[in-house]
Amino acid sequence: MNLHEYQAKELFARYGLPVLPGQVAQTPEEARDVAASIGGTVVIKAQVLVGGRGKAGGVKLAHSPDEAYERAREILALTIKGLPVRKVLVAQAAEIARELYLSIALDRSRKLPLIMLSAEGGVDIEEVARTAPGKIVRRHIPLEGLRSYQARALFQPLLADGKLVQQAADILLRLWRVYQEGDCQLAEINPLAITPDGRVIALDAKVILDDNADFRHREWTTWRDSGDETPGARLAHEKGLSYVKLDGDIGCVVNGAGLAMATMDLVKHYGGEPANFLDIGGSSSPEKVTAALRIITSDARDGGGDSKVRAILFNIFGGITRCDDVANGIVQSLAETPLAVPLVIRLTGTNEEVARRILSEHGLQATTSMDDGVRTVIARAQEVGA
Ligand code: GDP
Ligand code: MN
């Protein structure tokens, strides 16, 4: 789960990281009130879950409450990289002498957290990585953790001034705690700003939480901004199904992650493009099947983008999953909401015969061959597309 900047800053503040006071606003009026309560110059920042808001006009300074109203009005009217701006953060503005980049992210290949640090902050780190990779310092954090002398040594060459080094090292150690205790995949400060009067501040905050740890973080539910999820993703999350929306037009409902991957591979092999990854799990129930169809079709209808599901493939290998459960789910689901696109069903394994009978009683049929199922669904999708 990606946190908004204002949420990430709340988290940072709990760990004593230096962030400037601010509050989120949903209307220009609210922004004006927040600006008045903060006083002085404020910065108005679009709260959308993408980077590069600055360049897109989503970060602006305001020198008075009335100006804050105007800037907030402009920013709340923006759509940045496809995301409408619904909220802004109004925060005390800082004066900036220098901008650094600092992050801790999971390096999956080394199975260790990785600190990345650069004197070239403020801009996209991907851009720095492309144009001046030598300007990014990388250090893995070993299993025994991060010591304060190590943190100081990292900043020493960049900052020279002992007081700045001390502050920056303290920030890194706190960020490490945020990362570790908070179960983050990424904790990023860009820019880590140095003010003309020698303070080091986290001016931006980006946090990605590891969803696998949400069972031990009850507070996360209050952060989940369902308005930012596609309808399908929200439903999948509610129902506990693994779902990833993709750009293709072949909807895939599969039991088991491995079979789901294999199905997507085969769809691509025969020249199709999967619209999603969707694993309905090992032990399935009619309810899950109904939810799966709703997930795929709701994203096909109003999930944004230009992708459209043209045909749906069920690929079920009955082991613990019973084919008759799936068949009942399909029949129930179609009775409630008829599908607007062709449905191709492949099933084999436990209770296959019962499943086939249930389906045929409702005018549906299923193949046993995965190869056949995939080819058929691609052909049907092409008919629909033509
Ligand atoms: P991003 O573009 O989405 O990463 O948004 P940031 O929060 O990083 O803001 C982009 C840029 O706006 C920063 O690199 C700063 O140059 C500038 N900025 C952000 N906050 C302030 C502030 O408080 N004062 C000043 N002067 N500039 C700011
Ligand atoms: Mn930034």
Side-chain angles (χ1 to χ4, degrees):
M1 167 169 61
N2 287 279
L3 294 190
H4 281 293
E5 175 189 2
Y6 75 93
Q7 298 166 325
K9 282 183 169 171
E10 268 173 46
L11 181 64
F12 280 11
R14 277 187 225 159
Y15 283 83
L17 279 157
V19 291
L20 293 176
Q23 235 175 292
V24 74
Q26 299 196 18
T27 61
E29 289 79 11
E30 278 174 34
R32 177 167 53 204
D33 292 347
V34 178
S37 73
I38 292 173
T41 304
V42 293
V43 60
I44 317 278
K45 309 177 78 176
Q47 297 299 289
V48 281
L49 296 173
V50 288
R53 294 166 302 165
K55 272 189 209 151
V59 178
K60 288 189 173 145
L61 292 174
H63 305 280
S64 68
D66 285 339
E67 208 187 325
Y69 177 97
E70 283 306 317
R71 297 292 90 80
R73 195 172 54 82
E74 291 159 13
I75 295 174
L76 284 166
L78 292 176
T79 296
I80 301 179
K81 297 183 185 166
L83 297 175
V85 180
R86 296 199 182 90
K87 295 176 212 155
V88 292
L89 172 65
V90 182
Q92 193 177 85
E95 280 190 64
I96 305 175
R98 281 181 72 183
E99 295 185 300
L100 310 184
Y101 174 93
L102 175 66
S103 71
I104 304 176
L106 176 62
D107 179 356
R108 291 180 193 276
S109 60
R110 286 282 302 275
K111 300 176 182 166
L112 286 174
L114 173 68
I115 300 169
M116 287 203 277
L117 172 62
S118 176
E120 308 279 311
V123 288
D124 258 355
I125 195 66
E126 287 83 1
E127 200 174 311
V128 182
R130 240 189 343 265
T131 56
K135 292 196 171 153
I136 304 176
V137 179
R138 295 161 198 268
R139 284 279 179 293
H140 285 96
I141 302 181
L143 287 179
E144 58 271 25
L146 181 66
R147 303 284 161 79
S148 53
Y149 75 89
Q150 294 168 323
R152 286 197 301 275
L154 267 178
F155 284 100
Q156 190 65 45
L158 251 74
L159 297 175
D161 178 332
K163 280 185 188 152
L164 293 179
V165 171
Q166 189 54 50
Q167 289 177 68
D170 182 62
I171 287 173
L172 174 55
L173 290 165
R174 289 176 193 275
L175 192 66
W176 170 232
R177 281 191 55 209
V178 169
Y179 177 89
Q180 222 183 358
E181 291 172 23
D183 283 314
C184 299
Q185 280 175 356
L186 171 73
E188 180 190 85
I189 305 175
N190 185 29
L192 179 65
I194 300 174
T195 65
D197 59 354
R199 284 181 304 143
V200 186
I201 309 170
L203 270 200
D204 190 7
K206 181 172 178 190
V207 165
I208 302 176
L209 301 169
D210 181 350
D211 285 332
N212 292 307
D214 68 359
F215 68 95
R216 58 183 174 207
H217 293 279
R218 260 202 233 141
E219 74 280 11
W220 287 8
T221 51
T222 60
W223 279 337
R224 198 173 288 281
D225 188 343
S226 46
D228 290 332
E229 292 180 313
T230 63
R234 198 179 323 148
L235 197 57
H237 191 254
E238 265 170 41
K239 303 284 177 192
L241 301 179
S242 304
Y243 168 71
V244 181
K245 181 171 155 54
L246 300 167
D247 292 331
D249 53 7
I250 311 282
C252 302
V253 184
V254 188
N255 68 314
L259 188 60
M261 298 298 281
T263 306
M264 289 160 57
D265 280 351
L266 202 59
V267 166
K268 285 205 82 120
H269 177 76
Y270 285 120
E273 284 292 334
N276 66 279
F277 169 97
L278 177 57
D279 172 11
I280 58 171
S283 64
S284 211
S285 62
E287 291 72 33
K288 279 194 182 172
V289 173
T290 313
L293 278 174
R294 270 179 53 216
I295 288 164
I296 292 184
T297 50
S298 63
D299 267 3
R301 251 196 328 274
D302 45 22
D306 41 25
S307 84
K308 263 248 168 265
V309 174
R310 293 188 202 277
I312 296 174
L313 172 68
F314 266 77
N315 186 11
I316 304 299
F317 185 85
I320 297 171
T321 302
R322 291 167 31 179
C323 292
D324 56 324
D325 273 350
V326 176
N328 276 324
I330 293 173
V331 166
Q332 270 176 32
S333 173
L334 294 185
E336 283 162 25
T337 354
L339 276 182
V341 295
L343 178 65
V344 175
I345 305 164
R346 179 262 178 160
L347 44 82
T348 191
T350 311
N351 289 2
E352 180 179 335
E353 292 314 318
V354 189
R356 248 173 245 293
R357 202 172 58 236
I358 295 167
L359 290 174
S360 71
E361 278 164 11
H362 293 83
L364 297 164
Q365 25 166 320
T367 174
T368 42
S369 153
M370 174 158 159
D371 203 80
D372 184 36
V374 170
R375 285 179 200 239
T376 308
V377 78
I378 291 172
R380 301 297 304 277
Q382 277 164 356
E383 286 163 22
V384 172

